[in-house]
Amino acid sequence: IRINGTPDRYRIGQTLPEVDATLVEVRWDVAVLQLPDGSRMELKFGENSPTSGALMSSRVTPTLSRSLSQAEQVEAALNDAQSQLSSNPASYLTRMGLSATGQGYEVTAGAPAQLRNQMGLRPGDRIISLNGQTLGQPQNDARLLEQIRQSRSAQIEIQRGEQTLTIQQSF
Protein backbone atom coordinates (compact mmCIF):
# COMPACT_ATOMS: atom_id res chain seq x y z
CA ILE A 1 0.00 0.00 0.00
CA ARG A 2 1.38 3.39 -0.94
CA ILE A 3 0.75 6.16 1.55
CA ASN A 4 1.93 9.63 0.57
CA GLY A 5 4.02 8.04 -2.19
CA THR A 6 5.81 5.56 0.08
CA PRO A 7 5.03 1.88 -0.53
CA ASP A 8 5.02 -0.61 2.31
CA ARG A 9 3.64 -4.08 3.03
CA TYR A 10 1.05 -4.74 5.71
CA ARG A 11 -0.65 -7.82 7.06
CA ILE A 12 -4.29 -8.19 8.07
CA GLY A 13 -4.65 -6.71 11.56
CA GLN A 14 -1.71 -4.32 11.21
CA THR A 15 -2.22 -0.59 11.79
CA LEU A 16 -1.03 1.77 9.08
CA PRO A 17 0.71 4.31 11.31
CA GLU A 18 0.48 7.45 9.18
CA VAL A 19 -3.28 7.12 8.75
CA ASP A 20 -4.22 5.40 12.03
CA ALA A 21 -6.26 2.75 10.22
CA THR A 22 -6.12 -1.03 10.48
CA LEU A 23 -5.93 -3.33 7.46
CA VAL A 24 -8.86 -5.74 7.87
CA GLU A 25 -9.28 -7.35 4.46
CA VAL A 26 -7.61 -7.64 1.07
CA ARG A 27 -9.46 -8.74 -2.02
CA TRP A 28 -8.18 -8.90 -5.58
CA ASP A 29 -9.41 -5.35 -6.31
CA VAL A 30 -9.39 -3.53 -2.95
CA ALA A 31 -7.79 -3.25 0.45
CA VAL A 32 -10.25 -2.60 3.29
CA LEU A 33 -9.20 -0.39 6.19
CA GLN A 34 -11.00 0.13 9.48
CA LEU A 35 -10.76 3.62 10.94
CA PRO A 36 -10.60 4.36 14.69
CA ASP A 37 -14.32 5.30 14.72
CA GLY A 38 -15.22 1.81 13.45
CA SER A 39 -16.08 2.88 9.89
CA ARG A 40 -14.48 1.10 6.96
CA MET A 41 -12.88 2.39 3.82
CA GLU A 42 -12.11 0.55 0.58
CA LEU A 43 -8.99 1.50 -1.35
CA LYS A 44 -8.99 0.39 -4.98
CA PHE A 45 -5.82 -1.02 -6.45
CA GLY A 46 -4.10 1.01 -9.17
CA GLU A 47 -5.27 0.31 -12.69
CA ASN A 48 -1.76 -0.25 -14.05
CA SER A 49 -1.10 -3.21 -11.77
CA PRO A 50 -4.29 -4.61 -10.23
CA THR A 51 -2.63 -7.66 -8.76
CA SER A 52 0.54 -6.06 -7.43
CA GLY A 53 -0.87 -5.08 -4.04
CA ALA A 54 0.19 -1.46 -4.49
CA LEU A 55 -2.23 1.42 -4.33
CA MET A 56 -1.66 4.53 -6.34
CA SER A 57 -0.77 7.48 -4.14
CA SER A 58 -3.25 9.70 -5.94
CA ARG A 59 -6.02 7.31 -4.97
CA VAL A 60 -4.98 6.95 -1.32
CA THR A 61 -4.21 10.52 -0.32
CA PRO A 62 -7.59 12.13 -1.13
CA THR A 63 -9.50 9.32 0.50
CA LEU A 64 -7.44 9.28 3.66
CA SER A 65 -7.16 13.05 4.02
CA ARG A 66 -10.86 13.68 4.64
CA SER A 67 -13.22 12.13 7.14
CA LEU A 68 -16.43 10.64 5.88
CA SER A 69 -19.66 12.23 7.04
CA GLN A 70 -21.96 10.07 9.12
CA ALA A 71 -24.30 9.66 6.13
CA GLU A 72 -21.36 8.55 3.95
CA GLN A 73 -20.22 6.10 6.64
CA VAL A 74 -23.71 4.60 6.86
CA GLU A 75 -23.94 4.37 3.07
CA ALA A 76 -20.53 2.68 2.87
CA ALA A 77 -21.35 0.27 5.72
CA LEU A 78 -24.69 -0.73 4.16
CA ASN A 79 -23.08 -1.17 0.73
CA ASP A 80 -20.31 -3.29 2.25
CA ALA A 81 -22.78 -5.39 4.24
CA GLN A 82 -24.97 -5.95 1.20
CA SER A 83 -22.01 -6.89 -0.99
CA GLN A 84 -20.42 -9.18 1.60
CA LEU A 85 -23.69 -10.93 2.49
CA SER A 86 -24.11 -11.70 -1.21
CA SER A 87 -20.56 -12.83 -1.91
CA ASN A 88 -19.03 -14.10 1.34
CA PRO A 89 -21.61 -14.21 4.14
CA ALA A 90 -19.67 -16.40 6.58
CA SER A 91 -16.62 -14.13 6.55
CA TYR A 92 -18.73 -10.98 6.87
CA LEU A 93 -20.79 -12.33 9.77
CA THR A 94 -17.64 -13.38 11.61
CA ARG A 95 -16.05 -9.98 11.03
CA MET A 96 -19.18 -8.24 12.34
CA GLY A 97 -19.36 -10.46 15.43
CA LEU A 98 -22.61 -12.11 14.39
CA SER A 99 -23.43 -15.79 14.56
CA ALA A 100 -26.14 -17.28 12.33
CA THR A 101 -28.71 -19.13 14.44
CA GLY A 102 -31.17 -20.24 11.77
CA GLN A 103 -33.62 -17.68 13.15
CA GLY A 104 -31.67 -14.44 12.86
CA TYR A 105 -28.21 -13.54 14.06
CA GLU A 106 -26.81 -13.66 17.57
CA VAL A 107 -24.66 -10.71 18.61
CA THR A 108 -21.32 -11.85 20.07
CA ALA A 109 -18.71 -9.97 22.07
CA GLY A 110 -16.77 -9.73 18.79
CA ALA A 111 -19.29 -7.25 17.35
CA PRO A 112 -17.82 -3.75 17.07
CA ALA A 113 -18.42 -1.98 20.40
CA GLN A 114 -19.40 1.27 18.67
CA LEU A 115 -22.14 -0.51 16.71
CA ARG A 116 -23.39 -2.37 19.79
CA ASN A 117 -23.46 0.84 21.84
CA GLN A 118 -25.10 2.88 19.09
CA MET A 119 -27.93 0.39 18.76
CA GLY A 120 -28.15 -0.68 22.40
CA LEU A 121 -27.19 -4.27 21.62
CA ARG A 122 -25.56 -6.71 24.04
CA PRO A 123 -23.71 -9.96 23.43
CA GLY A 124 -26.33 -12.71 23.43
CA ASP A 125 -29.02 -10.55 21.80
CA ARG A 126 -30.52 -12.11 18.69
CA ILE A 127 -31.47 -9.87 15.76
CA ILE A 128 -34.55 -11.63 14.39
CA SER A 129 -36.10 -9.25 11.86
CA LEU A 130 -35.64 -6.07 9.85
CA ASN A 131 -38.72 -4.10 8.85
CA GLY A 132 -40.88 -7.09 9.75
CA GLN A 133 -38.90 -9.49 7.54
CA THR A 134 -37.35 -12.53 9.25
CA LEU A 135 -33.55 -12.73 9.07
CA GLY A 136 -31.29 -15.71 8.60
CA GLN A 137 -30.86 -16.16 4.84
CA PRO A 138 -27.88 -14.01 3.73
CA GLN A 139 -29.08 -13.53 0.12
CA ASN A 140 -32.49 -12.32 1.30
CA ASP A 141 -30.90 -10.27 4.06
CA ALA A 142 -28.73 -8.49 1.46
CA ARG A 143 -31.95 -7.44 -0.34
CA LEU A 144 -33.37 -6.15 2.94
CA LEU A 145 -30.27 -4.03 3.43
CA GLU A 146 -30.84 -2.47 0.01
CA GLN A 147 -34.37 -1.49 1.10
CA ILE A 148 -32.96 0.00 4.30
CA ARG A 149 -30.29 1.88 2.37
CA GLN A 150 -32.97 3.45 0.18
CA SER A 151 -35.43 4.25 2.98
CA ARG A 152 -32.68 5.38 5.41
CA SER A 153 -34.47 3.75 8.36
CA ALA A 154 -35.05 0.34 9.85
CA GLN A 155 -37.26 -1.30 12.41
CA ILE A 156 -35.11 -3.94 14.08
CA GLU A 157 -36.58 -6.68 16.23
CA ILE A 158 -34.26 -8.06 18.92
CA GLN A 159 -34.74 -11.08 21.16
CA ARG A 160 -33.07 -10.55 24.56
CA GLY A 161 -33.69 -13.54 26.77
CA GLU A 162 -37.47 -13.86 27.07
CA GLN A 163 -38.02 -10.25 26.00
CA THR A 164 -38.59 -8.97 22.45
CA LEU A 165 -37.40 -5.42 21.79
CA THR A 166 -38.08 -3.23 18.77
CA ILE A 167 -35.57 -0.56 17.79
CA GLN A 168 -36.43 2.14 15.29
CA GLN A 169 -33.17 3.30 13.71
CA SER A 170 -32.73 6.16 11.25
CA PHE A 171 -29.59 6.48 9.16
Side-chain angles (χ1 to χ4, degrees):
I1 297 175
R2 289 181 197 263
I3 300 175
N4 298 328
T6 305
D8 206 344
R9 293 179 185 206
Y10 299 93
R11 292 191 169 140
I12 302 288
Q14 269 188 298
T15 298
L16 287 66
E18 291 185 41
V19 295
D20 196 27
T22 303
L23 182 64
V24 293
E25 184 178 355
V26 177
R27 297 190 301 262
W28 71 272
D29 60 340
V30 297
V32 181
L33 303 177
Q34 183 163 345
L35 302 175
D37 67 2
S39 64
R40 291 176 182 251
M41 169 188 322
E42 288 189 357
L43 302 173
K44 296 194 182 301
F45 286 105
E47 286 146 11
N48 294 338
S49 182
T51 60
S52 72
L55 297 173
M56 303 305 290
S57 174
S58 62
R59 290 177 182 259
V60 176
T61 303
T63 306
L64 296 178
S65 65
R66 82 172 178 88
S67 295
L68 297 176
S69 70
Q70 185 171 356
E72 289 172 319
Q73 289 175 24
V74 168
E75 182 80 15
L78 288 171
N79 285 339
D80 181 52
Q82 185 179 3
S83 170
Q84 292 296 312
L85 279 174
S86 295
S87 65
N88 193 353
S91 173
Y92 177 74
L93 293 171
T94 299
R95 187 175 82 211
M96 293 307 294
L98 299 172
S99 175
T101 65
Q103 295 178 342
Y105 301 103
E106 183 173 330
V107 177
T108 70
Q114 180 183 3
L115 179 64
R116 285 194 328 254
N117 294 337
Q118 196 171 30
M119 297 185 65
L121 297 172
R122 300 178 190 164
D125 287 352
R126 197 164 36 108
I127 305 169
I128 55 178
S129 74
L130 287 175
N131 293 344
Q133 302 291 315
T134 303
L135 294 174
Q137 300 297 321
Q139 294 294 329
N140 293 336
D141 299 343
R143 282 185 229 119
L144 285 172
L145 290 175
E146 173 61 22
Q147 292 170 3
I148 290 168
R149 191 178 66 77
Q150 290 177 6
S151 69
R152 311 297 289 169
S153 67
Q155 182 177 327
I156 306 164
E157 194 171 66
I158 309 292
Q159 184 76 42
R160 181 175 290 161
E162 299 295 318
Q163 191 176 28
T164 301
L165 309 168
T166 302
I167 300 170
Q168 186 66 40
Q169 183 74 40
S170 296
F171 304 104

